[in-house]
Amino acid sequence: KGPNMNMPPCATLTICGMRLRITYSNLLKRSRRVGILILRYLKILIIWAKMKIILLGPPGAGKGTIAKLLAERRNLKHISKGDLLRQAVANGTDLGLKAKSFMDSGKLVPDDLIIGMIEAKLKKEKINDFEFDGFPRTIAQADSLAKISSIDKVINLTDSDEVIVQRLSGRRTCRKCGAIFHVKNMPPKKAGFCDQCKAELFQREDDKEEAIRERLKVYKKQTSPLIDYYKKKKLLVEINAELRAEVVLENVLKSLVGV
Ligand code: AMP
């Protein structure tokens, strides 16, 4: 309904010679609109405050990069399964020793080790809001996760195999601080050394071309069935990860609004 012109104006303004008639019904309509907007923002804030997200996608699609940016923007706990495992290997724990050979060859670490590790982490640290990067990677892991936590959204980052091989085989990691560089896309100022802490850069065993191809094969066979698994649960959103990280992040953030 348009404003009721028969209603007496509650104010009349003259701006640049134009007379504006503000009626009570007009005011009511506007304040209703403002109220709806405020409620919508409140709803978004409430949802943002307790999000449980999974980042899916092939190795090298940029899950780690997007997860870090998203964690900053949404104040979420970023849990990278690969980082946790690499830490266990570096600390020489039992689990690290068992996981190392699987990781170096690009194979998945057995489900029972992974599931136990995640359950312990969520319980011990009482984590309620999180984004998983690199977990779950099999249907068995997803089923176990469903028993211990609900999920709000699954973001599938899509990328082509050739872009992935190029991206991962050029990746170099700092031995000391873990900073990431790329021989072509983001070279360090001094070849072979970290810009931040000056320590040596190295190529991860699983970033060598043979291991990357194996990881992609493993991804297609064991992890990609999760796309349908979460599609059926109406939780999945697909995001093109071939664009710049900032653009991918914006698209991810948009996909989370109004969930
Ligand atoms: P990422 O850094 O996420 O690519 O993980 C590196 C390696 O860690 C993988 O190639 C696997 O060997 C192992 N890994 C990471 N996450 C998982 C998982 N959820 N299940 C089994 N193995 C995993």
Side-chain angles (χ1 to χ4, degrees):
K1 271 192 208 165
N4 185 352
M5 296 311 284
N6 298 327
M7 251 190 152
C10 69
T12 310
L13 297 175
T14 309
I15 304 170
C16 301
M18 272 170 43
R19 280 190 81 211
L20 281 181
R21 213 175 110 91
I22 301 172
T23 62
Y24 287 111
S25 75
N26 226 332
L27 258 182
L28 205 73
K29 223 167 120 188
R30 270 171 220 283
S31 46
R32 225 179 37 209
R33 256 188 233 148
V34 171
I36 289 170
L37 272 180
I38 291 174
L39 281 179
R40 222 176 258 167
Y41 274 109
L42 278 178
K43 185 180 160 205
I44 291 166
L45 282 178
I46 290 165
I47 290 162
W48 276 28
K50 42 179 183 165
M51 260 274 174
K52 295 182 173 77
I53 298 172
I54 291 171
L55 285 167
L56 267 188
K63 294 189 295 294
T65 309
I66 295 303
K68 278 190 193 110
L69 297 171
L70 189 58
E72 282 165 21
R73 289 280 286 268
R74 295 286 298 265
N75 198 21
L76 291 168
K77 172 95 182 154
H78 170 205
I79 303 175
S80 158
K81 201 72 207 76
D83 285 352
L84 288 179
L85 287 167
R86 278 184 288 278
Q87 212 169 30
V89 172
N91 295 340
T93 64
D94 248 16
L95 191 138
L97 292 175
K98 284 182 193 151
K100 188 173 183 326
S101 61
F102 294 100
M103 293 171 72
D104 284 351
S105 61
K107 299 216 159 43
L108 290 189
V109 176
D111 283 338
D112 52 337
L113 296 181
I114 299 288
I115 292 164
M117 211 176 162
I118 285 289
E119 275 181 357
K121 186 161 179 75
L122 290 185
K123 272 191 200 141
K124 194 172 142 213
E125 298 180 25
K126 295 194 174 64
I127 297 171
N128 293 315
D129 314 336
F130 56 74
E131 48 164 349
F132 279 127
D133 139 26
F135 178 83
R137 261 174 150 122
T138 62
I139 299 279
Q141 291 179 18
D143 282 341
S144 301
L145 177 62
K147 285 183 198 143
I148 52 173
S149 176
S150 60
I151 296 296
D152 296 304
K153 198 86 182 167
V154 179
I155 293 158
N156 185 32
L157 297 176
T158 59
D159 219 334
S160 74
D161 285 7
E162 282 326 299
V163 171
I164 286 169
V165 173
Q166 192 268 345
R167 196 183 281 158
L168 286 186
S169 58
R171 183 160 75 175
R172 297 293 180 270
T173 309
C174 173
R175 269 194 203 288
K176 201 168 154 204
C177 72
I180 307 248
F181 296 87
H182 190 279
V183 288
K184 279 197 200 129
N185 307 345
M186 206 176 41
K189 286 186 192 117
K190 184 175 172 203
F193 294 92
C194 178
D195 286 353
Q196 285 151 40
C197 68
K198 314 289 173 218
E200 190 196 9
L201 301 181
F202 77 106
Q203 184 178 34
R204 271 168 45 179
E205 275 307 313
D206 60 348
D207 280 346
K208 297 193 171 151
E209 187 160 344
E210 199 184 328
I212 299 168
R213 301 257 175 218
E214 177 63 25
R215 285 163 77 191
L216 283 170
K217 238 195 288 171
V218 167
Y219 170 78
K220 278 176 194 144
K221 190 161 169 229
Q222 290 177 272
T223 308
S224 67
L226 288 178
I227 296 172
D228 267 348
Y229 178 97
Y230 285 117
K231 227 182 234 171
K232 280 189 193 133
K233 291 181 187 270
K234 302 205 179 336
L235 291 173
L236 194 97
V237 59
E238 308 252 3
I239 303 277
N240 177 3
E242 286 189 11
L243 310 169
R244 278 187 302 113
E246 306 85 68
V247 180
V248 178
L249 176 69
E250 285 313 314
N251 290 339
V252 168
L253 285 168
K254 270 186 220 153
S255 78
L256 295 176
V257 173
V259 174

